Amino acid sequence: MNKPLIIANWKMSLAPNDASLAAKKLSKAFSKFGAASVVICPSFTDIAAVGSALEKSAILLGAQDCFWEDYGPYTGEISIAGLRSYGVSHIIIGHSERREHLHETDAMVNKKMLAALAADMVPILCIGETFEERRTNQKEHILQRELMNAMHATWLTKANQLIVAYEPIWMIGSGQDINDDEIEHTHRVIKQTLYDLLPDTVVDTQIAIIYGGSVNPENVRALVSQPSVDGVLVGGASTDPIVFSSLIHAAAK
Ligand code: PGA
């Protein structure tokens, strides 16, 4: 198994001082840690402080969103060039909370994907079904639609890496359990869809498929032990440095 990929999505959950303090603690704990690849995605307003706290550590800096244009009259938006200037290497794209609360569409997600890949950023593309969609057997169709629309007209060069995060919407922040076999099966469906879209070698060497939704220090080991789960996207359990450190240790065992 490759090193598990562990991505923290801090959402809008931490006060500014708490974000830089948490980053300092994690940076200290993981300055030489090599058994997992860790990325922290703070909110935009904390990116500078968290970035400088992580400078001397192996932890990478991510953003929770981006805009698809680099300059222009786009009030409130954040460019990829701007993110890069703070040392951001990864960008979460299409998180279900943005799709729900900000009405982000598949077409917008696709524009962000194209812009992020063109800038050699690593997109963390989020896809996932609602409970109702799962209950009515639409899950695979929804995932394939979101994935294919997000990837429309994209091409991965040798420099590109892509992370697809499968996050069942009903699992996010719920603390519910989901069967590991179901996750493994779904990751295989996602991988097959990627094989249909891209050359096999690109899928095998440049794309990771990770799972998100109520991941915690207790369930992470079983998740990353699944053959098709390359890592995890963690919300709630990533905001406390002690809990997140124990999650990283458990995943990397
Ligand atoms: P959660 O969030 O770990 O709190 O469920 C995951 C996410 O939304 O990325």
Side-chain angles (χ1 to χ4, degrees):
M1 189 180 81
N2 288 333
K3 282 197 251 183
L5 188 56
I6 302 172
I7 301 179
N9 175 9
W10 283 356
K11 308 191 181 187
M12 210 173 67
S13 307
L14 288 171
N17 284 344
D18 294 344
S20 60
L21 201 65
K24 279 182 197 144
K25 287 184 182 165
L26 289 164
S27 166
K28 225 171 164 185
F30 294 101
S31 57
K32 293 192 184 68
F33 195 73
S37 303
V38 181
V39 183
I40 293 180
C41 306
S43 60
F44 288 133
T45 46
D46 295 326
I47 275 187
V50 170
S52 63
L54 297 180
E55 235 163 36
K56 293 197 176 70
S57 82
I59 302 175
L60 298 171
L61 185 64
Q64 297 176 16
D65 184 35
C66 66
F67 192 58
W68 54 81
E69 298 287 350
D70 260 347
Y71 298 95
Y74 305 106
T75 304
E77 289 302 333
I78 309 277
S79 74
I80 293 174
L83 293 172
R84 184 195 299 291
S85 71
Y86 286 98
V88 167
S89 56
H90 290 62
I91 306 175
I92 297 175
I93 295 178
H95 192 282
S96 60
E97 286 157 7
R98 296 195 59 80
R99 293 181 194 252
E100 184 191 345
H101 302 299
L102 284 303
H103 302 292
E104 201 161 291
T105 62
D106 282 0
M108 291 158 79
V109 169
N110 177 237
K111 284 186 185 185
K112 293 179 183 191
M113 287 290 294
L114 287 164
L117 288 168
D120 288 343
M121 285 279 177
V122 184
I124 304 163
L125 169 65
C126 297
I127 57 173
E129 83 286 356
T130 63
F131 190 75
E132 187 56 20
E133 286 160 350
R134 173 174 176 264
R135 196 184 65 76
T136 51
N137 290 327
Q138 296 178 73
K139 176 168 97 171
E140 292 183 10
H141 169 71
I142 297 291
L143 295 176
Q144 282 163 340
R145 191 209 72 207
E146 286 188 344
L147 190 54
M148 288 168 97
N149 287 347
M151 298 295 290
H152 178 70
T154 59
W155 190 253
L156 270 68
T157 67
K158 286 207 164 63
N160 284 136
Q161 298 283 324
L162 166 64
I163 300 168
V164 178
Y166 168 52
E167 295 204 301
I169 297 169
W170 51 280
M171 279 298 295
I172 294 175
S174 72
Q176 277 192 66
D177 278 331
I178 174 171
N179 193 300
D180 293 335
D181 294 340
E182 179 175 341
I183 296 172
E184 173 66 15
H185 171 78
T186 309
H187 278 225
R188 281 169 193 250
V189 171
I190 291 167
K191 196 159 197 173
Q192 185 56 53
T193 309
L194 290 166
Y195 282 136
D196 294 345
L197 293 170
L198 297 163
D200 291 4
T201 48
V202 170
V203 178
D204 290 338
T205 60
Q206 294 174 242
I207 304 184
I209 306 175
I210 66 173
Y211 170 78
S214 296
V215 178
N216 60 44
E218 286 73 47
N219 62 18
V220 72
R221 182 72 213 143
L223 285 166
V224 298
S225 302
Q226 297 294 321
S228 303
V229 178
D230 299 313
V232 285
L233 178 55
V234 189
S238 70
T239 53
D240 178 327
I242 295 174
V243 176
F244 192 48
S245 296
S246 66
L247 187 152
I248 295 169
H249 280 298
K253 252 184 210 159

